[in-house]
Amino acid sequence: MAAVIVAAGRGSRMAEARDDRAPKQYREIGGRPVLWHTVQAFSRREAISEVRVVIHGDDAHLYETCIGSGVAKVGPAVTGGATRQISVRNGLEALGASPPDVVLIHDAARPFVTSTDITKLIEAVARHGAAIAATPVADTLKRGGSVGGGDGAAITDTVDRTGLWRALTPQAFAYVDIRAAHAAAADRDDLTDDAAVAEAAGLDVRLVATDPDNFKITTPDDLARAEARLSQSSPPDIRVGSGFDVHKFGPGDHVWLCGLKVPHDAALVGHSDADVGLHALTDAILGAIADGDIGAHFPPSDPQWKGAASDQFLAHAVQRVAARGGRLLNVDVTLVCEAPKVGPHRDAMRARIAEIIDLDIGRVAVKATTSEGLGFPGRREGIAAMATATVMLG
Ligand code: MG
């Protein structure tokens, strides 16, 4: 089975909009040319063994940049003709050296053809020999007078839409039949799609109800709509970062933990206020955006951070996220110590962190555990903290 993708159009409606850049099929949506998306839809189908793209004679360089050579299943570009009909005929002839059983003919400017639609067409052509993607007409149809087709054209008739369909692509045919039909129709210029060519040859062509969102990119507005659709469907950029920190005990009567001053029979020793919980959390947030670590942003060698309150480190990390267009989704801190007891302060710690990072308290967790008397936390030599932060960018 083969696919012929018709990309030879010049996009006159784009040009009318005084947009003189590349033809629409080479314009980018979602960071890739429209044609690239369209080719992918077919080339990744196992049942399709060959894809040929029919291009305009002036577009060889654009095509080379877009698809190049060496893309699996995509044969050399075929040069199109003055009309779509001639272009399709050239594409069909190019397959003649090793003719496929079935060919799907598709407009390059319809990148949103779904895998499901292609499957439906493949099944329908196997049963009926010719089938096209289509959607029933849902709008009421009016025939208007000829006042330029614009404002004020008089309605002359309301057209009965019963049984009316919009013809889309892909259109699928037995190869020998559609090739013969195109050869027979070579002297006609009134056939606007391949189904019409097949009908003219007396073939039985079936309508297959497919996704109505398989729209054709024709105008600059269509391009914007396509871009919006791709950005909606691409997965969100979710990042998770982790942080870890340890500070040892020294003489004192309180510790700073998760932004709270907690009475204790020792203090935590450090260059800043030694808030081990906020340090781990700051690193988690910086980690989520791959933006260094707390030591890189606030070097211990810099005297201005001596005794500094650690909430400013945390607030800085949140600003770095915001500067990337991101936002925090949740944070989670675990403190490892025998004492002080964290439980009585847990909710106040959560509230303080929520305040510093401007996040709902329901998205801020503080947990605590001992180390069962083992290791430095068990020997009450210091406190360890671990944290994770989830960030959504874009
Ligand atoms: Mg630290």
Side-chain angles (χ1 to χ4, degrees):
M1 188 176 309
V4 169
I5 295 173
V6 192
R10 302 316 289 150
S12 58
R13 268 168 284 191
M14 283 281 185
E16 280 167 18
R18 297 178 194 282
D19 196 329
D20 58 1
R21 289 182 288 169
K24 59 188 182 279
Q25 59 271 33
Y26 297 104
R27 301 278 289 275
E28 290 197 351
I29 53 172
R32 296 276 201 172
V34 169
L35 178 59
W36 184 88
H37 293 282
T38 307
V39 166
Q40 290 292 314
F42 289 89
S43 66
R44 64 181 169 226
R45 291 299 304 242
E46 202 172 325
I48 295 173
S49 54
E50 184 171 12
V51 177
R52 298 300 286 267
V53 182
V54 185
I55 66 170
H56 191 280
D58 294 343
D59 293 347
H61 179 71
L62 279 170
Y63 178 80
E64 188 62 27
T65 308
C66 171
I67 303 294
S69 52
V71 177
K73 301 182 186 177
V74 181
V78 179
T79 303
T83 65
R84 184 184 186 284
Q85 195 177 325
I86 296 171
S87 294
V88 172
R89 197 164 69 230
N90 291 357
L92 293 172
E93 283 170 8
L95 292 168
S98 88
D101 53 347
V102 163
V103 61
L104 286 83
I105 302 169
H106 186 68
D107 296 330
R110 294 185 195 271
F112 295 118
V113 56
T114 65
S115 184
T116 305
D117 285 352
I118 293 175
T119 299
K120 284 182 180 177
L121 267 295
I122 290 173
E123 288 171 359
V125 74
R127 280 196 303 275
H128 304 293
I132 70 167
T135 59
V137 170
D139 298 319
T140 296
L141 297 179
K142 304 290 185 187
R143 184 172 285 114
S146 58
V147 189
D151 293 349
I155 294 173
T156 59
D157 190 16
T158 295
V159 180
D160 181 5
R161 70 176 180 228
T162 308
L164 290 185
W165 295 66
R166 286 193 301 128
L168 314 175
T169 71
Q171 302 193 343
F173 307 93
Y175 174 77
V176 289
D177 292 347
I178 192 66
R179 191 172 173 189
H182 264 280
D187 59 347
R188 293 184 60 169
D189 59 5
D190 58 331
L191 305 171
T192 51
D193 71 351
D194 301 293
V197 172
E199 294 158 41
L203 296 178
D204 175 16
V205 186
R206 300 302 175 104
L207 296 161
V208 177
T210 52
D211 189 342
D213 285 344
N214 170 24
F215 67 94
K216 189 171 184 177
I217 297 174
T218 305
T219 65
D221 283 348
D222 294 334
L223 260 187
R225 178 180 165 201
E227 183 70 49
R229 179 173 159 151
L230 275 183
S231 61
Q232 263 172 19
S233 60
S234 57
D237 191 355
I238 303 281
R239 313 285 187 91
V240 176
S242 69
F244 177 74
D245 196 26
V246 171
H247 282 268
K248 66 182 176 187
F249 287 128
D253 61 6
H254 67 273
V255 293
W256 284 95
L257 268 184
C258 294
L260 282 196
K261 186 176 180 179
V262 178
H264 190 47
D265 57 10
L268 287 172
V269 179
H271 189 67
S272 64
D273 66 7
D275 189 329
V276 66
L278 293 194
H279 292 185
L281 180 52
T282 301
D283 262 355
I285 294 170
L286 292 173
I289 55 171
D291 189 6
D293 58 22
I294 191 170
H297 288 268
F298 304 99
S301 56
D302 186 338
Q304 70 167 308
W305 308 122
K306 185 167 172 49
S310 296
D311 57 356
Q312 63 190 307
F313 304 155
L314 182 56
H316 175 79
V318 174
Q319 283 162 17
R320 301 289 289 195
V321 172
R324 295 274 298 273
R327 64 188 174 96
L328 277 168
L329 297 182
N330 78 298
V331 298
D332 183 12
V333 180
T334 301
L335 300 168
V336 186
C337 58
E338 301 291 329
K341 289 289 175 217
V342 170
H345 305 287
R346 181 205 307 277
D347 286 340
M349 290 174 175
R350 293 173 62 215
R352 178 67 187 125
I353 290 172
E355 181 182 30
I356 299 166
I357 66 178
D358 192 21
L359 193 64
D360 185 272
I361 193 169
R363 294 172 181 269
V364 178
V366 172
K367 315 192 303 296
T369 184
T370 70
S371 60
E372 297 283 348
L374 300 175
F376 68 85
R379 293 189 299 269
R380 298 173 183 253
E381 293 169 359
I383 300 180
M386 291 173 287
T388 58
T390 312
V391 164
M392 182 161 73
L393 288 182

